[in-house]
Amino acid sequence: MSSSDAPPKLYAAQEPIFPKKVKGTFRNLKWVIMFVTLGIYYITPWIRWDRGPSLPDQAVLVDMAGRRFFFFWIEIWPHEFYFVAGLLIMAGLGLFLFTSALGRVWCGYTCPQTVWTDLFYTVERWIEGDRNARLRLWKGKWDLRKWRLRITKWIVWLLIAVATGGAWVFYFADAPTLLRDLLTGQAAFVAYATVGVLTATTFLFGGFAREQICIYACPWPRIQAAMMDEHSITVAYRDWRGEDRGKGKDREGLGDCIDCNACVNVCPMGIDIRDGQQMECITCALCIDACDEIMEKTGRERGLIDYLALTDEANEREGNPKVPVMRHILRPRTLIYTALWSLIGVGLVVALFIRSEIGLTVAPVRNPQFVTLSDGSIRNTYDIRIRNMTQGDAVFRIGLTSDEILRVDLEGGQDLMVDVPADETLLQRVYVIARPDDPAATADRTELRFWVEEFGTNERAYQSQSFIGQGTQ
Amino acid sequence: MTDQEHSNLHPDDPETTGHSWDGIQEFNNPLPRWWLWCLYATIVWALLYTVAYPAWPMISGATPGLLGYSTRAEVAEEIDRYDALNADLRTQLTEVDLAGVTQEDMPDLYNFSIQSGGATFATWCSQCHGRGANGVQASGYPSLLDDDWLWGGTVDDIHQTIAHGIRNEEDPDARWSEMTAFEGILSDEEISQVVNYVLTVSDQEADTTLAAAGETVFLDNCAACHGDNAMGDRYLGAPNLTDRIWLYGGTPEAIEETVRHSRFGVMPPWSGRLSEAEVRATAIYIHSRGGGE
Ligand code: SF4
Ligand code: SF4
């Protein structure tokens, strides 16, 4: 409680954090993940994929202008957006699954903010030294050495930031061409703007805002906290083992914690995990590595700080043996998420293999619903779109099946064959005519089915529609 | 505050703001200062924005902004840009033989005509002929989708109709047809006879005795324009009475109304108001809608 009369401060200056270098299992895991994710991010646009003439040679390409998404041998058309929707749902379910099982693993290991901040810290440590050196430098005067170190660091950060912003745009255009255009000043304004914005945000977020983004700007911590339960694994301090903490050789009445602050010094979020669960903790486990090293040195059992579930506390306090992590992870909730996730995944893969290379959409022209011709025939108009998703030109025959006798005419009067170039869509206006005495002319509506058949392969696509007759009036 | 209110506080808890509602106290977890600066920066940005771009309302209009930005001017610029891009197509369209503009032979010109003609139609023609070009049947606004044409349905015929209009007194090239109002010329009985005759030629129900008598009345008075077989005459703009399409309705009442008082539909001429390229594109568009001959 503040008893002073001064009004409490509503805004506080950022507390600088100087995380110390740490070695250990989880640190190694983080290195591997950083390498793999950054590698994938920077290299992917440069992978070539031969799709033959008139199609891009880039393995992964989001072609906005052509409204196509290329992913290795898969090509997604706009009407197949359900694939993307399906992947998004899988990503969501995956997040539920991982969060309910392992808490904020996403935050600690794979979040871009964490990965790039980690990379920026590595650069900082490499140029300015480890925790103590950085602390000294921070407190020191702005002399030549400080300027030199700071500027070197900022330049390296900036290079990483430019590479990061730069890599992003290569997913949206042919990478080698775009790189040349970017360097010669011929790329589109939006490319430069995107690179600029992403460079600036990477530089600021990774270099300066760091943990502040996680604590103040990011909504995920709140959402993830709500997705966890008492079985979710999280980083925690076994205070029943560590307390009362204390320094010194005489450990009479003291717990295992020697109050060396190693766990505090390595924390990139600047917190003390021994205070208990905290919103700021991203479960990066660096404090586990740090403390395990200390435990090793003092000859005590590792795991004073450890991945634990909340239920472990009560259990271990009673002196029961530790529950293996797997027992926490495998429980109905995570199994259901896994099942749902796999179901959608399998569905998407199946959909991918059974999808047809040709497609048809029929849009009836309903203004007017029908046209009466001079001999009393009733004519309906349809705009049909034939998609040729194969990589060669194709000829399609347009046909119609119905219980009634209906005539099909194409606008332009040609026979019922149309050419559709490779990887394109053709719009064709089609007229369907019922003789005046035909039931379809007088009925309300008559079911019919349009189909297209690829000449030579007999691949078919069809769509059901209805024919509107005078009965509607 | 009493000690009781303090009892829930933990020694490590942050200080409170001193606010208390129903005994619930508010911790003071100060926001980072940079956040505050970001807020100030957005306020400054907003103010600068209103100076740079049109924003502040004045008595007549808003402040134009220092950058002179205007979406209207941008649109005008875009339109000019596309006009310039299409200039070639437009000249080509005014010179080419209209009947030759087809999807197969001149795809670029054809597509340009369908798109721009469609836009012109929507702007100027849809008020009478309807957005779908189906006209308003029985009110004298013909459907442009069917195969019945008073004056011919080739693209050149359509072009002439659009360019010069129907019953346009100023233009000698305008389409002009005139039907006599037969009230007073024919007796009521003769009118009813001829109406029944017309109903039979178009296969509709009619009084056969009246119709038989009506044939003579028709041949004497109507056949001059509509022809002995009532098939009409495109040269005169006289409609075919044997088909199923009735510009003013095919009921006995509607036909009687036409015979007694005649009809006098008018269409404005569009050459002069629209450019020749627009008129031609519109003709091609209409010709493509399923009724073209
Ligand atoms: S408390 Fe430990 S796990 Fe949490 S952020 Fe800090 S170092 Fe990472
Ligand atoms: S690193 Fe381990 S021993 Fe050292 S202060 Fe932290 S919990 Fe205690």
Side-chain angles (χ1 to χ4, degrees):
Chain A
M1 279 304 302
S2 83
S3 47
S4 73
D5 290 334
K9 281 215 178 79
L10 295 178
Y11 298 94
Q14 177 178 0
E15 297 272 354
I17 298 170
F18 305 93
K20 198 170 149 54
K21 190 172 169 182
V22 58
K23 283 202 202 88
T25 328
F26 295 107
R27 180 63 262 187
N28 290 341
L29 181 60
K30 273 172 73 72
W31 285 131
V32 171
I33 291 175
M34 184 201 280
F35 253 78
V36 172
T37 50
L38 289 182
I40 291 175
Y41 176 69
Y42 290 121
I43 293 169
T44 304
W46 297 93
I47 305 173
R48 303 287 96 189
W49 197 265
D50 186 14
R51 293 193 179 82
S54 85
L55 284 176
D57 291 334
Q58 188 155 320
V60 178
L61 179 68
V62 183
D63 179 1
M64 292 284 200
R67 288 183 293 173
R68 298 278 193 284
F69 172 50
F70 298 97
F71 186 83
F72 295 92
W73 64 97
I74 303 167
E75 181 183 337
I76 304 285
W77 283 48
H79 70 281
E80 295 171 313
F81 204 74
Y82 55 84
F83 280 115
V84 179
L87 287 177
L88 287 176
I89 294 173
M90 282 176 77
L93 278 175
L95 198 68
F96 293 174
L97 168 63
F98 272 92
T99 308
S100 68
L102 298 168
R104 291 177 63 184
V105 266
W106 163 261
C107 294
Y109 295 88
T110 39
C111 173
Q113 173 65 22
T114 300
V115 172
W116 266 285
T117 303
D118 208 13
L119 181 64
F120 277 41
Y121 268 133
T122 310
V123 169
E124 188 169 274
R125 202 171 285 132
W126 168 54
I127 290 168
E128 297 180 345
D130 205 2
R131 179 179 159 83
N132 292 337
R134 296 212 304 282
L135 248 171
R136 246 181 283 120
L137 188 70
W138 185 72
K139 286 193 186 125
K141 269 213 274 307
W142 279 91
D143 56 10
L144 210 65
R145 177 170 172 276
K146 184 160 173 174
W147 275 113
R148 181 172 56 81
L149 292 177
R150 279 290 138 94
I151 289 174
T152 322
K153 178 176 80 175
W154 290 336
I155 289 174
V156 179
W157 280 357
L158 205 60
L159 289 177
I160 297 173
V162 171
T164 307
W168 179 259
V169 291
F170 293 139
Y171 284 86
F172 298 86
D174 182 57
T177 322
L178 181 60
L179 180 64
R180 205 185 48 229
D181 289 352
L182 280 171
L183 294 179
T184 55
Q186 285 168 343
F189 171 73
V190 58
Y192 289 109
T194 310
V195 175
V197 168
L198 290 177
T199 303
T201 47
T202 309
F203 186 69
L204 284 176
F205 289 6
F208 299 93
R210 297 175 166 176
E211 81 288 346
Q212 304 262 311
I213 296 293
C214 310
I215 302 173
Y216 299 103
C218 181
W220 275 124
R222 281 74 180 168
I223 297 168
Q224 292 204 312
M227 289 192 293
M228 292 165 68
D229 58 28
E230 69 278 16
H231 292 288
S232 306
I233 304 288
T234 177
V235 174
Y237 166 67
R238 290 196 157 93
D239 64 350
W240 53 96
R241 195 186 123 187
E243 301 296 303
D244 295 327
R245 66 183 83 150
K247 295 188 167 69
K249 281 252 176 294
D250 178 16
R251 311 233 26 100
E252 190 54 39
L254 290 179
D256 282 351
C257 176
I258 58 165
D259 205 8
C260 63
N261 268 343
C263 53
V264 180
N265 291 343
V266 299
C267 177
M269 305 301 289
I271 56 171
D272 184 347
I273 192 64
R274 294 170 303 170
D275 292 344
Q277 285 277 295
Q278 282 153 86
M279 183 199 83
E280 288 89 343
C281 177
I282 57 171
T283 71
C284 65
L286 293 182
C287 52
I288 301 183
D289 279 345
C291 187
D292 277 351
E293 207 181 324
I294 302 295
M295 291 299 108
E296 208 99 298
K297 275 190 197 142
T298 57
R300 288 180 179 79
E301 197 196 341
R302 297 161 70 106
L304 177 54
I305 303 177
D306 205 353
Y307 272 117
L308 297 174
L310 284 182
T311 49
D312 285 339
E313 175 171 358
N315 183 48
E316 289 181 26
R317 270 185 201 282
E318 280 169 23
N320 298 332
K322 284 185 190 172
V323 177
V325 167
M326 264 310 165
R327 285 264 299 283
H328 288 300
I329 293 179
L330 298 178
R331 60 202 151 93
R333 182 172 167 184
T334 56
L335 293 179
I336 290 171
Y337 284 146
T338 313
L340 285 175
W341 188 86
S342 324
L343 211 67
I344 297 173
V346 169
L348 287 183
V349 171
V350 170
L352 196 64
F353 280 104
I354 64 168
R355 73 180 177 155
S356 167
E357 293 254 272
I358 63 174
L360 171 74
T361 347
V362 182
V365 176
R366 289 294 180 237
N367 176 17
Q369 291 198 309
F370 60 81
V371 173
T372 310
L373 299 180
S374 52
D375 66 352
S377 299
I378 299 297
R379 186 181 71 197
N380 280 207
T381 308
Y382 303 84
D383 280 334
I384 76 174
R385 278 193 168 74
I386 306 171
R387 286 184 297 275
N388 174 12
M389 295 186 269
T390 67
Q391 277 152 35
D393 299 352
V395 181
F396 291 92
R397 195 158 74 85
I398 297 176
L400 184 73
T401 41
S402 168
D403 291 343
E404 311 300 340
I405 299 159
L406 296 167
R407 197 177 95 217
V408 193
D409 276 348
L410 303 194
E411 183 187 284
Q414 67 267 52
D415 54 15
L416 296 175
M417 308 289 256
V418 289
D419 299 335
V420 189
D423 201 50
E424 272 187 36
T425 302
L426 178 100
L427 175 64
Q428 173 70 49
R429 191 164 263 237
V430 173
Y431 302 112
V432 177
I433 298 156
R435 300 275 316 148
D437 43 7
D438 196 274
T442 44
D444 180 350
R445 52 179 64 222
T446 307
E447 295 315 313
L448 51 84
R449 174 175 279 186
F450 283 98
W451 48 262
V452 290
E453 187 174 81
E454 191 185 344
F455 189 75
T457 65
N458 297 338
E459 268 243 43
R460 266 192 178 212
Y462 58 82
Q463 197 182 340
S464 296
Q465 275 296 340
S466 46
F467 181 92
I468 306 279
Q470 277 170 318
T472 46
Q473 286 196 327
Chain B
M1 279 177 223
T2 67
D3 277 347
Q4 251 203 332
E5 280 172 308
H6 293 186
S7 60
N8 288 335
L9 290 176
H10 190 270
D12 290 341
D13 282 342
E15 62 180 25
T16 71
T17 56
H19 303 157
S20 162
W21 294 272
D22 288 347
I24 299 171
Q25 296 179 68
E26 185 184 26
F27 281 149
N28 180 24
N29 283 307
L31 258 187
R33 209 173 44 194
W34 58 265
W35 192 279
L36 182 70
W37 286 109
C38 285
L39 174 67
Y40 290 156
T42 56
I43 294 170
V44 172
W45 172 269
L47 284 174
L48 290 178
Y49 198 92
T50 65
V51 177
Y53 288 94
W56 298 101
M58 300 306 233
I59 291 168
S60 56
T63 51
L66 290 181
L67 295 183
Y69 174 81
S70 150
T71 41
R72 208 176 258 265
E74 257 183 17
V75 170
E77 223 168 78
E78 282 281 283
I79 293 176
D80 286 348
R81 198 161 69 80
Y82 281 102
D83 275 351
L85 283 176
N86 288 328
D88 278 353
L89 285 172
R90 216 172 290 112
T91 340
Q92 213 185 323
L93 189 59
T94 53
E95 288 158 359
V96 81
D97 172 23
L98 274 187
V101 185
T102 60
Q103 176 82 67
E104 287 84 54
D105 297 340
M106 301 189 189
D108 284 349
L109 205 52
Y110 180 80
N111 289 332
F112 172 73
S113 304
I114 299 295
Q115 300 303 327
S116 74
T120 308
F121 181 88
T123 315
W124 301 105
C125 317
S126 61
Q127 289 85 347
C128 292
H129 292 284
R131 185 69 182 85
N134 196 38
V136 183
Q137 305 287 320
S139 300
Y141 301 112
S143 165
L144 306 175
L145 305 172
D146 60 29
D147 57 346
D148 185 40
W149 295 91
L150 281 173
W151 302 93
T154 67
V155 68
D156 287 309
D157 289 333
I158 296 170
H159 174 255
Q160 198 196 332
T161 307
I162 301 174
H164 302 286
I166 307 268
R167 299 189 186 89
N168 160 31
E169 303 191 355
E170 260 103 75
D171 187 343
D173 288 334
R175 311 285 198 186
W176 197 289
S177 67
E178 196 164 359
M179 167 152 166
T180 318
F182 283 96
E183 192 168 62
I185 299 175
L186 297 179
S187 69
D188 284 357
E189 200 196 350
E190 285 171 316
I191 289 176
S192 129
Q193 287 167 345
V194 83
V195 166
N196 276 281
Y197 175 70
V198 167
L199 286 170
T200 53
V201 299
S202 60
D203 281 343
Q204 300 191 70
E205 267 177 44
D207 182 318
T208 40
T209 29
L210 285 176
E215 181 165 11
T216 331
V217 183
F218 184 86
L219 290 172
D220 290 350
N221 297 283
C222 317
C225 293
H226 291 285
D228 289 352
N229 50 12
M231 302 269 276
D233 184 343
R234 281 182 173 181
Y235 185 70
L236 299 171
N240 182 348
L241 305 179
T242 65
D243 66 19
R244 305 291 179 90
I245 294 171
W246 294 90
L247 190 48
Y248 291 94
T251 61
E253 297 75 29
I255 297 172
E256 185 176 335
E257 166 80 18
T258 308
V259 174
R260 279 184 190 278
H261 305 294
S262 169
R263 307 274 189 175
F264 201 81
V266 176
M267 162 152 159
W270 293 98
S271 64
R273 203 186 309 209
L274 299 177
S275 73
E276 176 59 11
E278 284 172 310
V279 172
R280 285 174 156 243
T282 312
I284 291 171
Y285 170 76
I286 290 167
H287 186 259
S288 77
R289 295 291 91 179
E293 290 174 345

